[in-house]
């Protein structure tokens, strides 16, 4: 009898240990302690349902490499690294991960030198979102995986602005970096009936036309954007509005040559900017510089096919535009509609001054040097007398080839507000095909030739015009 009780007791203890072992193993998975700690900041959201389409493929399981990344992440990084997966992001390219990104942002924003991590091996679909500051100093938005928006206008949520996708607002000292990809999925936006279609029978029709800028920084300062790949934005790829202290380095931006208004980097009312060491190929300007920009240094760029590097357009709808201290140097522009361009609308006012285009290589560019104060985006624009005053522009060491469909230099200045102090030094531009060298075009353009150019700019007027607009300080 005693032996039977002993056996029953041993067997009961054995069953209890097994149950405990199973229970413990169920909760012993990587990063659970970190997830629990972060979930105290904000609970993970419920997952969005998959699309209703019966033909939609089931989400693929997470790659083993991604799981290994989580298992092997250093434990001491948990205090400062905020992985969007820890906030409920799925990363299958189908599920809406917006809320997970918002919560990871809110948590990282409160910590000094935090890293918001978008991990490798995953694709995250995010709706139009504003990431708002101010945040603690040293925040890094690290993109190692892929980020994408909803797929086209029909997938955009109703009632949500279609003018922007990811916006960073009132941020100081943030770095956006990583080896990942931002895929704008712009093709369905480019094909809206309102967009310019450039086929033989192409037309532009009325209808909804708003398209989102992919990445927009607004009223922010001391920003770094580095190392990212971004492609196929519905509109501009990057836009900086009312920012100060912007450093852009080593970006790769790509969209098809016929994609409309897909500027690579656009800046507006932004100062103290450096843009370096990047490759941009798209359907509009590689870099466009709008009103209110000064102290901008662009160098070591490879641009094209594209519409070149532009200051403007400025003075739209009789507006005031002031741009100064712009340098574009040590760069290559190839197979593009324009090289370096200044473009203004008639009727505007303000001033463009202290512009330096230096050490540039042109390869089969249709308009290597263009200054156009009659810019018009439609078939006809009314003549107006006022204009943005353009002065103190240096073109030096600009060499290469031009597409013979247009003159290599086009300097069309306002009838009433001439361009002044245009300087040419070591400019040599030859036809990409054939041997006929086209003559430059000049209209009301004043300046000086420091060396004989190829082709010679004999149409440039010497000296100073009899009447000049008020000084730059009065204009701006």
């Amino acid at each position: 009898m005693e032996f039977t009780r002993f056996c029953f007791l041993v067997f009961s203890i054995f069953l209890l240990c097994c149950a405990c072992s199973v229970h413990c193993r169920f909760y012993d998975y990587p990063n659970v302690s970190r997830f629990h700690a972060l979930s105290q900041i904000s609970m993970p959201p419920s997952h969005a349902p998959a699309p209703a389409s019966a033909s939609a493929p089931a989400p693929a399981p997470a790659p083993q490499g991604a799981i290994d990344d989580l298992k092997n992440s250093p434990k001491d990084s948990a205090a400062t690294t905020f992985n969007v997966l820890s906030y409920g992001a799925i990363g299958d390219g189908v599920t809406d991960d917006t809320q997970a990104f918002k919560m990871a942002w809110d948590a990282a924003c409160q910590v000094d030198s935090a890293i918001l991590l978008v991990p490798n091996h995953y694709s995250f679909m995010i709706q139009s979102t504003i990431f708002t500051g101010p945040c603690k100093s040293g925040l890094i938005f690290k993109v190692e995986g892929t980020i994408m928006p909803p797929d086209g206008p029909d997938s955009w949520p109703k009632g949500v602005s279609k003018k922007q996708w990811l916006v960073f607002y009132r941020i100081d000292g943030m770095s956006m970096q990583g080896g990942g990809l931002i895929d704008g999925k712009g093709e369905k936006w480019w094909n809206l009936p309102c967009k310019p279609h450039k086929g033989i029978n192409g037309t532009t029709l009325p209808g909804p036309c708003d398209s989102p800028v992919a990445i927009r920084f607004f009223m922010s300062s001391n920003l770094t954007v580095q190392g990212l790949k971004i492609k196929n934005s519905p509109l501009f790829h990057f836009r900086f509005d009312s920012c100060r202290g912007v450093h852009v380095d080593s970006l790769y931006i790509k969209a098809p040559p016929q994609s409309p208004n897909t500027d690579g980097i656009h800046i507006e009312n932004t100062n103290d900017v450096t843009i370096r060491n990047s490759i941009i190929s798209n359907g509009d300007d590689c870099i466009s510089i709008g009103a209110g920009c000064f102290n901008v240094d662009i160098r070591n760029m490879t641009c094209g096919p594209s519409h070149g590097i532009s200051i403007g357009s400025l003075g739209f709808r009789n507006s005031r535009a002031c741009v100064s201290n712009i340098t574009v140097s040590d760069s290559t522009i190839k197979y593009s509609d324009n090289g370096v361009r200044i473009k203004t609308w008639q009727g505007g006012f303000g001033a463009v001054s202290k512009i330096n285009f230096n050490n540039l290589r042109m390869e089969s560019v249709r308009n290597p040097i263009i200054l156009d104060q009659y810019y018009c985006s439609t078939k006809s624009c009314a003549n107006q007398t006022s204009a943005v005053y353009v002065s103190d522009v240096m073109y030096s060491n600009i060499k290469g080839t031009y597409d013979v469909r247009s003159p290599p230099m086009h300097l069309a200045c306002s009838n009433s507000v001439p361009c002044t102090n245009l300087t040419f030094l070591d400019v040599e531009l030859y036809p990409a095909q054939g041997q006929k060298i086209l003559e430059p075009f000049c209209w009301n353009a004043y300046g000086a030739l420091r060396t004989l150019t190829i082709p010679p700019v004999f149409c440039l007027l010497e000296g100073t015009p009899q009447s000049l607009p008020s000084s730059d300080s009065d204009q701006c």
Side-chain angles (χ1 to χ4, degrees), residues 171-182:
I171 309 299
D172 179 58
M174 190 187 95
S175 175
M176 189 176 193
Q177 62 188 53
L181 172 67
I182 299 169

Side-chain angles (χ1 to χ4, degrees), residues 66 106 133 165 205 222 230 233 272 336-337 345 379 385 388 405:
D106 289 343
W165 175 34
L205 303 175
N222 303 314
I230 179 169
S233 176
D272 300 327
S336 298
D337 284 356
W345 295 80
K379 291 184 178 179
T385 55
V388 177
R405 290 177 295 172

Side-chain angles (χ1 to χ4, degrees), residues 250-415:
S250 303
L251 298 187
Y252 181 80
I253 300 174
K254 186 172 178 59
Q258 298 302 321
S259 56
N261 303 119
T262 53
D263 295 47
I265 301 168
H266 177 77
I267 60 176
E268 192 99 10
N269 295 310
T270 293
N271 59 79
D272 300 327
V273 179
T274 61
I275 302 175
R276 300 270 196 275
N277 310 318
S278 298
I279 299 173
I280 304 176
S281 172
N282 59 336
D284 211 303
D285 297 329
C286 286
I287 301 170
S288 52
I289 300 167
C293 293
F294 59 90
N295 296 344
V296 179
D297 189 6
I298 301 166
R299 65 182 61 212
N300 198 26
M301 304 293 296
T302 300
C303 169
S306 70
H307 292 183
I309 297 175
S310 293
I311 297 172
S313 56
L314 304 175
F316 182 56
R317 291 181 178 171
N318 304 329
S319 61
R320 174 176 172 266
C322 297
V323 175
S324 64
N325 293 339
I326 312 293
T327 297
V328 180
S329 64
D330 307 327
S331 298
T332 296
I333 302 173
K334 56 186 180 181
Y335 311 112
S336 298
D337 284 356
N338 307 293
V340 288
R341 173 167 61 159
I342 301 172
K343 51 179 178 174
T344 71
W345 295 80
Q346 294 185 76
F349 65 101
V352 175
S353 64
K354 299 176 183 176
I355 312 298
N356 186 8
F357 299 118
N358 174 58
N359 194 27
L360 304 176
R361 173 74 184 175
M362 303 288 174
E363 297 180 13
S364 296
V365 174
R366 185 165 182 176
N367 298 288
I369 294 173
I370 180 167
L371 198 169
D372 182 10
Q373 293 209 272
Y374 298 88
Y375 180 74
C376 179
S377 60
T378 61
K379 291 184 178 179
S380 61
C381 293
N383 287 330
Q384 300 185 55
T385 55
S386 64
V388 177
Y389 176 37
V390 178
S391 65
D392 299 321
V393 183
M394 167 68 82
Y395 300 95
S396 61
N397 195 23
I398 300 176
K399 300 179 180 181
T401 60
Y402 62 92
D403 185 320
V404 294
R405 290 177 295 172
S406 302
M409 286 171 265
H410 184 95
L411 310 173
C413 299
S414 164
N415 277 331

Side-chain angles (χ1 to χ4, degrees), residues 14 43 79 267:
F14 174 77
M43 292 297 292
I267 60 176

Side-chain angles (χ1 to χ4, degrees), residues 10 67 81 194 220 226 236 272 278 283 308 322 353 365 372 401 455 458-460:
V10 169
I67 297 172
T81 298
C194 64
S220 297
Q226 185 172 13
F236 300 170
D272 300 327
S278 298
C322 297
S353 64
V365 174
D372 182 10
T401 60
F458 292 143
C459 57
L460 190 67

Side-chain angles (χ1 to χ4, degrees), residues 57-335:
Q64 184 62 41
I67 297 172
D68 292 341
D69 284 349
L70 287 178
K71 289 180 178 178
N72 298 326
S73 59
K75 290 183 172 56
D76 60 0
S77 68
T80 58
T81 298
F82 298 84
N83 190 325
V84 294
L85 295 176
S86 298
Y87 290 86
I90 302 302
D92 57 12
V94 176
T95 305
D96 184 354
D97 289 322
T98 307
Q99 283 303 111
F101 271 72
K102 284 183 175 180
M103 290 192 302
W105 172 268
D106 289 343
C109 195
Q110 301 174 45
V111 177
D112 283 321
S113 303
I115 299 173
L116 190 156
L117 177 63
V118 182
N120 200 1
H121 308 295
Y122 290 87
S123 295
F124 301 94
M125 193 278 284
I126 311 177
Q127 307 282 358
S128 177
T129 303
I130 300 177
F131 297 100
T132 304
C135 295
K136 298 282 189 174
S137 63
L139 176 60
I140 297 175
F141 196 110
K142 191 170 185 179
V143 182
E144 296 295 344
T146 298
I147 303 176
M148 63 182 67
D151 189 16
D154 294 339
S155 300
W156 214 259
K158 292 182 180 179
V160 176
S161 171
K162 293 182 177 178
K163 293 185 178 181
Q164 54 196 24
W165 175 34
L166 302 182
V167 180
F168 296 87
Y169 174 60
R170 290 191 179 277
I171 309 299
D172 179 58
M174 190 187 95
S175 175
M176 189 176 193
Q177 62 188 53
L181 172 67
I182 299 169
D183 184 353
K185 301 181 76 69
E187 185 173 0
K188 292 180 181 178
W189 298 92
W190 307 330
N191 290 331
L192 287 171
C194 64
K195 299 289 184 177
H197 290 63
K198 300 185 178 180
I200 296 175
N201 297 317
T203 57
T204 298
L205 303 175
C209 212
D210 284 347
S211 300
V213 173
I215 309 291
R216 184 187 183 202
F217 290 91
F218 181 45
M219 296 183 69
S220 297
S221 58
N222 303 314
L223 303 169
T224 298
V225 180
Q226 185 172 13
L228 295 169
K229 296 184 287 291
I230 179 169
K231 69 175 185 178
N232 297 339
S233 176
L235 205 68
F236 300 170
H237 288 76
F238 282 97
R239 179 174 178 133
F240 297 88
D241 284 290
S242 302
C243 294
R244 177 182 56 81
V246 176
H247 178 69
V248 176
D249 200 335
S250 303
L251 298 187
Y252 181 80
I253 300 174
K254 186 172 178 59
Q258 298 302 321
S259 56
N261 303 119
T262 53
D263 295 47
I265 301 168
H266 177 77
I267 60 176
E268 192 99 10
N269 295 310
T270 293
N271 59 79
D272 300 327
V273 179
T274 61
I275 302 175
R276 300 270 196 275
N277 310 318
S278 298
I279 299 173
I280 304 176
S281 172
N282 59 336
D284 211 303
D285 297 329
C286 286
I287 301 170
S288 52
I289 300 167
C293 293
F294 59 90
N295 296 344
V296 179
D297 189 6
I298 301 166
R299 65 182 61 212
N300 198 26
M301 304 293 296
T302 300
C303 169
S306 70
H307 292 183
I309 297 175
S310 293
I311 297 172
S313 56
L314 304 175
F316 182 56
R317 291 181 178 171
N318 304 329
S319 61
R320 174 176 172 266
C322 297
V323 175
S324 64
N325 293 339
I326 312 293
T327 297
V328 180
S329 64
D330 307 327
S331 298
T332 296
I333 302 173
K334 56 186 180 181
Y335 311 112

